Amino acid sequence: MIECRQLSFRYPGDTFSLAIDSLSIAAGEKVAIIGPSGCGKTTLLKLISGMLSPADGTICLDGQDLSALSRSGRQAHRIRHIGLVQQQFELLDYLTVRENILLPYRVTSALTLDSQAHDRAEQLMQRVGIEQHGERYPQQLSQGERQRTAICRGLVTAPQIILADEPTGNLDPTNQSKTVELLLEQADQIGATVVMVTHEPTLLPHFERTIDLLELRKEANA
């Protein structure tokens, strides 16, 4: 599903660089990415999503080489096939919960906002327990309810891959565990691969595999 080979990346004018010899994540696998701050975890997710392009190497998602796509092509591929769940939720204050969840359909012509999309949004809200909040705005929600809204938005397109960047960082330990369980449960419903960055060791047992990015980089630089 996700294949990275001879990957290298450097931000212009910055000393940070990321080099990975090989990384493979199977379809449907649930993987946690760990490592100290600044080691490149978020950068790796952005490379896999196509938000960033590597200087060298290849990133293939289900056989599609992202380097063969234009910037707009990568964006369309990301919106069609990848669900993003971020730590700061990235909800728009002027949109209702339902509108925030359906936002991916409104920002690109790569998706069609039809009755099936609306049905998926309603089903997701019911599954995560926020169906009664569909017409509320983010500022009217608790932290946990905002996180559930962000999860629904990441899942509403039924993506093949879910990339989650520390999605529990703003939650207390109890809700951290519940949120990860919820995310993985909903991912199983659609058969999605999950790659989640986390700093919380207590969450690792929820995943099938843990990858220490610092060790992966050491292997590449050995």
Side-chain angles (χ1 to χ4, degrees):
M1 168 57 73
I2 301 174
E3 296 284 344
C4 301
R5 294 285 180 267
Q6 304 298 322
L7 197 63
S8 67
F9 175 83
R10 182 185 297 274
Y11 288 105
D14 198 337
T15 58
F16 171 84
S17 63
L18 179 66
I20 295 174
D21 182 48
S22 177
L23 172 63
S24 297
I25 298 174
E29 193 173 9
K30 311 299 187 293
V31 175
I33 304 289
I34 63 171
S37 296
C39 74
K41 301 183 298 297
T42 295
T43 297
L44 177 59
L45 291 194
K46 288 182 176 180
L47 286 164
I48 293 173
S49 73
M51 291 181 180
L52 296 175
S53 296
D56 291 297
T58 60
I59 302 172
C60 291
L61 307 183
D62 198 25
Q64 173 63 64
D65 184 352
L66 295 187
S67 64
L69 300 175
S70 65
R71 182 175 180 179
S72 61
R74 292 195 305 274
Q75 180 186 41
H77 186 273
R78 177 169 62 253
I79 291 173
R80 288 195 191 101
H81 302 291
I82 296 175
L84 301 175
V85 183
Q86 305 194 49
Q87 179 178 358
Q88 301 301 326
F89 311 149
E90 305 296 338
L91 303 178
L92 299 181
D93 289 340
Y94 56 86
L95 297 181
T96 64
V97 165
R98 183 176 288 103
E99 289 168 340
N100 266 291
I101 291 170
L102 289 168
L103 184 61
Y105 290 90
R106 299 186 183 278
V107 297
T108 178
S109 59
L111 297 172
T112 301
L113 182 56
D114 53 17
S115 61
Q116 291 183 337
H118 282 283
D119 288 345
R120 278 196 298 273
E122 297 302 321
Q123 291 167 5
L124 284 167
M125 285 192 290
Q126 290 175 10
R127 289 173 185 169
V128 304
I130 58 171
E131 68 274 15
Q132 70 274 29
H133 300 319
E135 296 306 313
R136 291 190 176 185
Y137 292 88
Q139 60 268 30
Q140 297 174 303
L141 305 178
S142 68
Q143 286 285 88
E145 289 164 347
R146 292 180 189 182
Q147 184 60 82
R148 291 181 180 202
T149 301
I151 288 174
C152 288
R153 185 183 55 197
L155 293 166
V156 72
T157 61
Q160 295 172 307
I161 299 170
I162 297 169
L163 302 179
D165 192 0
E166 297 189 62
T168 64
N170 293 311
L171 304 177
D172 61 77
T174 298
N175 281 317
Q176 285 180 346
S177 182
K178 288 181 179 179
T179 296
V180 170
E181 289 173 0
L182 179 63
L183 175 62
L184 297 180
E185 174 188 314
Q186 297 306 312
D188 278 336
Q189 294 286 331
I190 58 176
T193 303
V194 177
V195 182
M196 190 180 103
V197 166
T198 183
H199 281 291
E200 300 296 335
T202 57
L203 299 178
L204 301 183
H206 293 289
F207 294 86
E208 298 167 354
R209 181 159 59 115
T210 298
I211 297 174
D212 187 327
L213 186 55
L214 197 60
E215 292 182 0
L216 196 66
R217 292 181 61 179
K218 284 181 179 179
E219 291 177 5
N221 295 328

